[in-house]
Amino acid sequence: MSTLYVLGVGPGDKQLLTPKASAAIEKSTDLVAYGLYLDLLGELCDGKKHHDLPLGEEIGRARLALDLAAQGKTTALISSGDIGIYAMATLVFELLDQQLQGNEQNPQWLDVEIEVVPGISAMQAGASRVGAMLGHDFCTISLSDLLTPWQTIEKRLHACGQGDFVVSFYNPKSKKRDWQINTARDILLQYRPASTPVLIGRQLTREDESITITTLEKLHADDVDMFTLVSVGNSESRHILNGNKEWVYTPRGYSKKL
């Protein structure tokens, strides 16, 4: 059996692709991914067999990657960002778990050598663009209720507010789902100032990247789409200006020692 590399290629800028991820792609004969990710990798994917499955076919992608590796092909299952954060790695292990429980009929999967290769996530890329927004305790919440009931998401939003965590919202909006980000804003406004800094990062590190720093009270679904990451500071996060430069950072308490 061959190896299945389960890897993240970062937010889009090829300079943020880790050497380990690059080496795994070079070793692979078959690449399984959403086509845009292969396009972003460019010539690194030349000479490989591409298996491009569209959005919504995540289970199919994971199954195909396991099947290819079980057939003896060194395979890379590729996702943007970190493949272990709201991405494909969990599906691979869920399928293996189902096989071990007897709910799948693919025993050959269990012989596949699996190596997970982490990548730089969108929240890290966004934070780096504005300074040090994730400088203290933080969390991430996906606002998509396709797989998680909204009641659960809402409970986590309140917990985030009560704990005063910096929070990065993944999947803040889609064509069919446009109200959650405004509801999340209203919940957080119960726990932190209206002036709390907010990062809106679209197409982070890619050619058409746009970065906006706004406030929690001004955050609105109209300024967000499915290619956007939204990060909201905690009650102590600071937005500072120096001429035409601006940064956001979240202090850890060093001011007492300065």
Side-chain angles (χ1 to χ4, degrees), residues 40-140:
L40 289 170
L41 290 170
E43 62 185 20
L44 184 60
C45 298
D46 291 350
K48 316 291 183 182
K49 186 167 184 181
H50 295 191
H51 304 269
D52 173 7
L53 276 71
L55 291 176
E57 295 292 332
E58 287 76 20
I59 296 175
R61 260 182 261 147
R63 286 181 177 277
L64 176 59
L66 284 165
D67 284 341
L68 290 168
Q71 294 166 18
K73 299 174 181 177
T74 302
T75 304
L77 176 61
I78 296 172
S79 181
S80 64
D82 184 307
I83 199 163
I85 300 177
Y86 303 120
M88 296 294 300
T90 185
L91 259 176
V92 170
F93 291 105
E94 189 168 354
L95 287 171
L96 293 175
D97 189 12
Q98 290 295 310
Q99 175 59 43
L100 288 167
Q101 293 181 51
N103 298 324
E104 288 280 346
Q105 303 301 316
N106 297 285
Q108 69 277 12
W109 289 350
L110 300 178
D111 295 323
V112 171
E113 184 73 25
I114 296 175
E115 182 174 346
V116 180
V117 182
I120 294 173
S121 68
M123 66 177 174
Q124 291 171 291
S128 74
R129 284 294 196 251
V130 296
M133 196 165 190
L134 303 180
H136 208 340
D137 297 335
F138 64 89
C139 67
T140 65

Side-chain angles (χ1 to χ4, degrees), residues 155-176:
K155 184 186 300 183
R156 291 171 181 170
L157 287 166
H158 281 285
C160 168
Q162 292 167 359
D164 200 24
F165 290 99
V166 176
V167 58
S168 293
F169 290 125
Y170 284 71
N171 306 309
K173 183 179 177 181
S174 70
K175 292 180 180 178
K176 297 180 180 179

Side-chain angles (χ1 to χ4, degrees), residues 18 32 44 51 60 68 80 92 94 100 105 115 142 144 159 161 165 183 186 189 207-208 211 219 225 228 249 252 255:
T18 68
V32 181
L44 184 60
H51 304 269
L68 290 168
S80 64
V92 170
E94 189 168 354
L100 288 167
Q105 303 301 316
E115 182 174 346
S142 171
S144 172
F165 290 99
T183 301
D186 293 342
L189 280 169
E207 289 185 358
D208 53 347
I211 299 289
L219 174 61
D225 64 15
T228 304
Y249 77 100
R252 290 190 63 199
S255 61

Side-chain angles (χ1 to χ4, degrees), residues 143 145 148-155 157 179-180 183-184 187:
L143 293 182
D145 59 355
T148 303
W150 177 252
Q151 292 84 351
T152 299
I153 297 172
E154 191 170 29
K155 184 186 300 183
L157 287 166
W179 56 270
Q180 283 94 336
T183 301
I187 290 173

